[in-house]
Amino acid sequence: MGSIDTGWAREQGGAFGTERANRVARNAVTSMNVMAAARDYTRMRTYHDTYGVSIKRVGEVTNQRQSGRCWMFSAFNVARAATMDLLDVDSFEFSQAFGMFYDKLEKANAMLDQVIALADRPENDRKLDHVLEWGMSDGGYYFEAMDLIAKWGLVPKDAMPETACSKSSAEMDAQLNRLLRRAAADIRRAYRAGAGAGELAAKKASCMADVYRMLAVCLGEPPVTFDLEVKVGKKAKVDAAKLTPILPEDAPGEGCAGDGGADEGGAKAAGAKDADKDARMLLRDANITPREFAERYVPFDPNDYVQLVCMPGASRPWKTAWHVLLEEPMVGGTPNRFLNMPQEVLEQAAIASLKAGVPVGMDADVMQEFPRRIEDFPGVLATDGLDLEGLFGMDLRMSREDMLDVRETSLTHAMTFQGVELDDAGEPVAWRVENSWGKDSCKDGYLYMSAEWFRTYGGAVTVMRRFVPEDVLELWDKAEAVDVEPWDSVAAALGVRS
């Protein structure tokens, strides 16, 4: 142990300049940054975004903007697939601003409950510090989105559009955190002065009213009821009494002045045939609640899923279920639960789901080996597409187990599997991934993810129960969950709300 010797640093600098490879690498990186300089052009151009198994209807690519709602977008993108099938439409989008409103409201309620429960702790208590630091973050997990659907319902995006604060949440979050931390200080001061449970609860109630008001100012008031009006396909599986036939907007009309003769009749006949082929129905359902909308038009059980993770390591044994403490954002909601299984279990469950036409929520450390900003290969996640070792002239490789042990990787971003390419043995070669950064990001909003990249930097899928083997389902249902603190290495690997 000791300080850096200045002479040693001079020697290193002198030696660096004598190597031509160092000079070439320096010139490349300083002019174009690391990822662009490291990209392997010959290797990158061999990747093809064609998939033997692919979801037919995926809808328009969504955009979470400058917010931490990837988990919500991923879950809503899975749920909307069932709605698009029900309505026989090629795209549909739920309101993420509606989900965000109630997510923040629930998080505020849970945070204040925890502040009251920890009122006797000192200011430097680690649990209290975690609650105050992360209680109102944007982040979350799939199960949180499912709880929001089950309790509050859903609405179409046009019933509660995005706002400046939902698109860029930092300024709103700063004021929410200030409001809640001010209430926390007030609650703790009252507790020290001898206040009872009733007085503390009253202080919480007062703050919750302010939280609702602030959210309404930032996101708009969530609709209590709304009128659903949407064009649906002829195969829509909805109440026929709520349907009205319509013609496409570009369908021929009754004819124009000056038309006549056989040409007029022929045009009308052709127009009628095309109109019948392309006809749509207008679905009108007036004055419905968000819960009623979810029940009628989202044929999707929010409790019918299993959350599988792959976290290898001696301290992270297989077939272990984990529950992260202090991470229930909804009082009375679903306790978080993560079942640790080998990678092949995650892969085969995801493949079974995709073959059945059901998209899969997934999580990964998305910025690892990701040349996001380069123009020629903007949507490729692969472990052999970047020659970082060659660029720097050193070994940077690490096993997934080592990376988890030293916190080099964690599940930072939620996306959606929409397709997979399989080899002759039925093993994945590459995954088609729907992102939530808009259609102009990555490659038309999608990522090509090699199977090896997902095995190295992925590590979580959320799939419906029917796609999970019986023995794994039994573990999911019956294995007693191990409680872990939010600062534990397991929680860090899961990317707990950070």
Side-chain angles (χ1 to χ4, degrees):
M1 300 294 290
S3 65
I4 297 174
D5 183 84
T6 57
W8 173 87
R10 285 194 297 271
E11 290 176 6
Q12 294 297 312
F16 179 89
T18 63
E19 294 288 338
R20 184 171 184 269
N22 290 342
R23 299 195 302 271
V24 171
R26 176 201 60 203
N27 293 342
V29 173
T30 55
S31 64
M32 65 181 70
N33 219 325
V34 172
M35 294 300 174
R39 89 203 198 296
D40 186 331
Y41 177 84
T42 302
R43 184 61 184 160
M44 281 282 199
R45 68 186 184 184
T46 66
Y47 300 127
H48 302 288
D49 54 348
T50 55
Y51 306 89
V53 179
S54 188
I55 303 294
K56 293 181 180 179
R57 283 176 167 160
V58 296
E60 296 293 326
V61 173
T62 56
N63 195 341
Q64 70 187 77
R65 308 283 181 163
Q66 285 73 52
S67 72
R69 297 174 292 167
C70 61
W71 56 279
M72 184 184 296
F73 276 71
S74 174
F76 283 10
N77 285 342
V78 172
R80 72 172 176 165
T83 297
M84 288 190 292
D85 182 65
L86 181 83
L87 300 180
D88 188 27
V89 295
D90 291 330
S91 191
F92 197 91
E93 189 169 352
F94 300 127
S95 168
Q96 298 91 3
F98 178 86
M100 188 181 206
F101 186 102
Y102 286 112
D103 174 57
K104 294 293 186 183
L105 194 68
E106 292 285 0
K107 282 176 176 172
N109 183 60
M111 179 178 175
L112 291 174
D113 267 11
Q114 290 167 339
V115 166
I116 292 173
L118 298 170
D120 62 337
R121 302 292 183 96
E123 282 75 8
N124 62 352
D125 179 76
R126 198 166 189 181
K127 289 186 177 181
L128 178 63
D129 178 71
H130 177 79
V131 169
L132 295 175
E133 180 69 19
W134 298 112
M136 280 302 293
S137 72
D138 282 359
Y141 290 111
Y142 191 95
F143 74 89
E144 298 178 35
M146 297 299 101
D147 276 353
L148 293 172
I149 294 173
K151 182 173 180 178
W152 298 104
L154 288 164
V155 301
K157 189 163 189 172
D158 59 6
M160 189 170 176
E162 294 283 272
T163 73
C165 291
S166 66
K167 294 176 184 177
S168 182
S169 59
E171 294 180 17
M172 175 184 69
D173 287 351
Q175 300 312 310
L176 285 168
N177 273 309
R178 186 180 182 94
L179 175 64
L180 286 157
R181 289 167 183 161
R182 180 182 184 278
D186 192 27
I187 287 169
R188 289 175 60 77
R189 183 166 48 250
Y191 176 84
R192 290 193 299 269
E199 185 177 344
L200 299 183
K203 290 183 178 297
K204 173 194 168 183
S206 176
C207 181
M208 285 300 298
D210 287 342
V211 169
Y212 193 100
R213 185 181 307 113
M214 186 176 286
L215 287 171
V217 168
C218 293
L219 301 175
E221 306 93 317
V224 177
T225 63
F226 66 98
D227 295 336
L228 175 67
E229 188 168 301
V230 61
K231 293 179 182 179
V232 300
K234 292 188 294 182
K235 297 180 181 180
K237 299 177 281 290
V238 297
D239 184 355
K242 293 181 171 64
L243 293 174
T244 303
I246 58 173
L247 291 175
E249 293 179 1
D250 59 349
E254 293 299 323
C256 300
D259 290 344
D263 289 342
E264 177 186 6
K268 284 185 177 181
K273 182 177 180 181
D274 291 341
D276 180 67
K277 177 181 178 182
D278 297 328
R280 289 288 184 267
M281 309 290 282
L282 185 64
L283 169 65
R284 287 194 177 99
D285 199 346
N287 200 38
I288 61 171
T289 68
R291 285 279 298 271
E292 288 171 337
F293 171 77
E295 290 164 1
R296 295 174 190 177
Y297 303 111
V298 191
F300 173 92
D301 183 353
N303 298 308
D304 185 30
Y305 64 87
V306 174
Q307 194 149 309
L308 303 174
V309 298
C310 178
M311 302 290 173
S315 63
R316 299 176 292 273
W318 300 130
K319 301 183 179 181
T320 302
W322 289 308
H323 169 253
V324 184
L325 298 169
L326 301 177
E327 287 297 325
E328 256 73 70
M330 180 186 291
V331 176
T334 304
N336 66 72
R337 186 177 178 85
F338 307 90
L339 182 61
N340 194 30
M341 298 297 295
Q343 184 73 19
E344 57 267 22
V345 177
L346 279 66
E347 292 176 352
Q348 291 305 313
I351 291 168
S353 183
L354 292 171
K355 284 183 175 180
V358 180
V360 178
M362 54 79 65
D363 303 275
D365 193 357
V366 70
M367 297 309 295
Q368 293 276 9
E369 298 194 53
F370 180 19
R372 179 183 178 185
R373 303 297 182 187
I374 66 174
E375 295 181 1
D376 44 4
F377 305 106
V380 174
L381 290 171
T383 56
D384 57 357
L386 300 169
D387 187 8
L388 292 162
E389 286 79 11
L391 179 68
F392 290 110
M394 61 190 70
D395 190 358
L396 296 171
R397 294 169 297 178
M398 295 178 69
S399 69
R400 177 161 175 77
E401 180 176 344
D402 283 348
M403 286 192 292
L404 291 170
D405 285 345
V406 298
R407 306 197 181 196
E408 164 59 16
T409 189
S410 65
L411 304 176
T412 61
H413 188 52
M415 298 178 285
T416 310
F417 280 150
Q418 295 282 9
V420 62
E421 180 64 20
L422 303 174
D423 62 17
D424 293 339
E427 299 297 324
V429 174
W431 301 92
R432 185 181 194 225
V433 181
E434 180 185 9
N435 205 352
S436 54
W437 294 345
K439 65 180 181 180
D440 296 327
S441 180
C442 305
K443 187 172 183 180
D444 300 323
Y446 287 84
L447 289 164
Y448 169 100
M449 181 184 290
S450 76
E452 187 58 32
W453 189 97
F454 183 62
R455 289 166 188 155
T456 305
Y457 300 117
V461 298
T462 306
V463 292
M464 291 185 177
R465 293 175 61 90
R466 61 190 172 107
F467 304 119
V468 178
E470 287 298 325
D471 60 328
V472 179
L473 272 182
E474 186 173 5
L475 283 169
W476 174 259
D477 291 334
K478 297 180 180 179
E480 184 175 354
V482 177
D483 288 336
V484 294
E485 300 288 358
W487 50 84
D488 183 90
S489 62
V490 167
L494 293 169
V496 174
R497 219 190 284 171
S498 57

